[in-house]
Amino acid sequence: MFAPHTDVIGLSDPALHGNGPIGESHDDHYYVYMLTCAEAAAESFDTDRQILPPGLEDAEPSLFTAMVASAVDRTMLNGHDAVRLMQTEARLSSHYEAAKLATMVEVACSPTGDIDSGVKRDVEVIEYAADEIAAALTLTRRAAHTQLDLALSLKNRLADVWSKFSSGLVDVAKIRVLDDQLGHLPAETVATVTEQILEGAPEMTTGQLRARLARLVMKADPQGEAVQYQAGIEDRKIVIYANPDHTANIHASNLEPGRVTAAMTRINQQAQGLRNSDETRTLDQLRADVFLDLLEGNHPSRAKTAGGGVHLHVDLTTLSELSDAPGELAGYGPVIADIARKTAAAQAKTTWDYTVTDNGAVVTNGTTRYRPSAATKRSVSASYPTCIHPGCRMPVHNCDIDHRHPWVQGGPTHHNNLEPLCRHHHMLKHHSAWRLQRQPNGDHKWTSPLGHSYTTQQRAPPH
């Protein structure tokens, strides 16, 4: 049973932190910890399982957390503590990955030498340093270059990001998103954006982080992002290539976001229209077949559609060209002001839902043509642009609108009693042990079958 007495040894003990798990040796602390565990086990009536120290998953990576993670028998943890151990291991893993990249920089700046050489570093990266890294870590040359470039970027341009990485609060996948989004920006813009993004980054998925970063970058440097966009559009293209299983891929890149979301909406509508009791193809297979049919000039769908549409969130001042605040295309993410205005104009002859805001507050919403959606559904869509499960970014127009208080139990069909859930999370809510509670401040608290709580805020995107 792992339950150390915090008055003997605790997670906040500064002697346990040092430079991290591979810092100083603290064998004496470890022995005290193990003796404390033995004492606790002797006093416990529950000898069939082990218990993790309280707060372990939130502790700074240290020799103590590393030792606990390596000493515990995970097969003797209940499900709740198994989740906590997994979170601890993930944080340690990020810490070690950051340490590896830091050492990679040292290797890259070390001049020629051997086992007896003194400690020397060059200011610049040594030519062919990536080849040493590739050989030592059995990486391809390309992979070694990619990792070294990331390490140098973190050291030279993203020091604040590095700190979060080293503490294990963000993983390498999020680090790559941050590097990709911030790599082309001037130093002052990087500082502005990182100050706003880092606090909430640990609670975001990579998709949420990318969308939030894009919006912040657009606000911080709208002119620069417009130039980037125009340069990207100039590089639009389609390529085809073969797979090892002899199938083929078609890849279109650098397209206009408004047209892409409208096209994807049409494909979804056509695919949904083909679904019936006799259809054996999955929805993904149907989308792929519809995509090719449309390109070949065929129109296989039995669905009655109003054409490809988009759901656009945009500030009133952006539409009136009084500001360059970015807009939001559901299912795609943030777009620069110019794209938002062009998307609104381009959709004039088709069905599209709009939400107009003023400093983030919803002013109005509706549908431009054809039979509009129910006013209540539009109201729900304006407040919740995506599924309300933590991390899910399924756009509201592809979600089920679920009654918070069941309709069969008298729950009203009113926007205050409705919320969007994608089909998977709709089934999760009603056919699993997950529980959902709406908090007084509007947050949504999900409790997992293993007793962990996750809170999400899904409101209209900020401006």
Side-chain angles (χ1 to χ4, degrees), residues 59-385:
E60 191 84 10
S62 67
L63 181 66
F64 178 76
T65 55
M67 283 183 167
V68 174
S70 62
V72 69
D73 182 351
R74 59 178 53 84
T75 65
M76 293 186 67
L77 297 175
N78 66 15
H80 184 87
D81 271 3
V83 171
R84 294 178 56 220
L85 177 61
M86 179 177 65
Q87 292 172 323
T88 303
E89 291 168 332
R91 187 163 181 179
L92 286 167
S93 176
S94 296
H95 171 85
Y96 282 122
E97 184 67 22
K100 184 195 77 174
L101 292 181
T103 306
M104 197 175 285
V105 174
E106 301 301 317
V107 169
C109 295
S110 294
T112 300
D114 56 28
I115 192 171
D116 296 317
S117 297
V119 178
K120 296 181 181 179
R121 298 287 186 270
D122 282 2
V123 176
E124 301 294 333
V125 172
I126 304 299
E127 189 176 10
Y128 301 121
D131 292 272
E132 175 88 34
I133 294 168
L137 300 181
T138 60
L139 301 173
T140 65
R141 186 160 54 89
R142 181 180 183 129
H145 272 291
T146 297
Q147 291 195 29
L148 178 57
D149 286 345
L150 177 61
L152 292 169
S153 177
L154 289 168
K155 179 180 184 295
N156 298 327
R157 305 183 70 253
L158 303 174
D160 292 338
V161 173
W162 182 281
S163 176
K164 288 283 186 182
F165 190 22
S166 183
S167 67
L169 290 173
V170 292
D171 59 25
V172 69
K174 293 176 184 176
I175 288 297
R176 293 194 183 281
V177 170
L178 287 158
D179 186 51
D180 288 343
Q181 294 282 323
L182 301 176
H184 64 283
L185 298 175
E188 60 273 16
T189 305
V190 171
T192 299
V193 173
T194 53
E195 183 180 356
Q196 298 177 70
I197 196 69
L198 282 183
E199 184 177 352
E203 285 73 47
M204 299 181 194
T205 66
T206 52
Q208 291 171 324
L209 180 62
R210 189 179 297 278
R212 177 67 175 148
L213 266 172
R215 177 172 291 279
L216 289 174
V217 170
M218 291 173 195
K219 292 181 69 175
D221 186 18
Q223 301 303 321
E225 291 304 290
V227 171
Q228 287 278 332
Y229 169 74
Q230 289 301 326
I233 284 291
E234 291 296 321
D235 197 35
R236 61 190 181 275
K237 60 192 172 191
I238 292 179
V239 296
I240 60 173
Y241 51 96
N243 292 319
D245 62 1
H246 311 298
T247 60
N249 295 333
I250 181 168
H251 178 78
S253 61
N254 296 72
L255 308 180
E256 296 178 33
R259 295 183 67 185
V260 168
T261 52
M264 195 63 199
T265 299
R266 177 181 283 276
I267 290 171
N268 279 326
Q269 290 173 338
Q270 298 276 357
Q272 292 283 0
L274 289 171
R275 301 188 80 178
N276 56 46
S277 58
D278 298 324
E279 181 57 69
T280 60
R281 289 173 291 179
T282 67
L283 188 56
D284 279 338
Q285 291 171 337
L286 286 168
R287 290 191 189 104
D289 292 344
V290 166
F291 172 70
L292 289 177
D293 283 335
L294 290 173
L295 287 179
E296 293 173 343
N298 301 323
H299 300 280
S301 176
R302 294 182 291 273
K304 295 181 179 179
T305 66
V310 301
H311 192 111
L312 175 67
H313 285 254
V314 62
D315 200 274
L316 184 61
T317 57
T318 299
L319 283 182
S320 58
E321 299 188 26
L322 296 176
S323 82
D324 286 323
E328 179 99 5
L329 285 175
Y332 174 80
V335 292
I336 61 174
D338 189 49
I339 298 176
R341 289 189 283 262
K342 287 181 179 178
T343 299
Q347 299 298 320
K349 295 182 180 181
T350 186
T351 303
W352 64 287
D353 298 323
Y354 63 87
T355 301
V356 178
T357 58
D358 184 14
N359 291 322
V362 175
V363 175
T364 186
N365 53 78
T367 305
T368 57
R369 284 170 58 91
Y370 304 100
R371 184 173 64 86
S373 302
T376 52
K377 185 174 181 179
R378 292 204 308 268
S379 182
V380 171
S381 302
S383 298
Y384 305 105

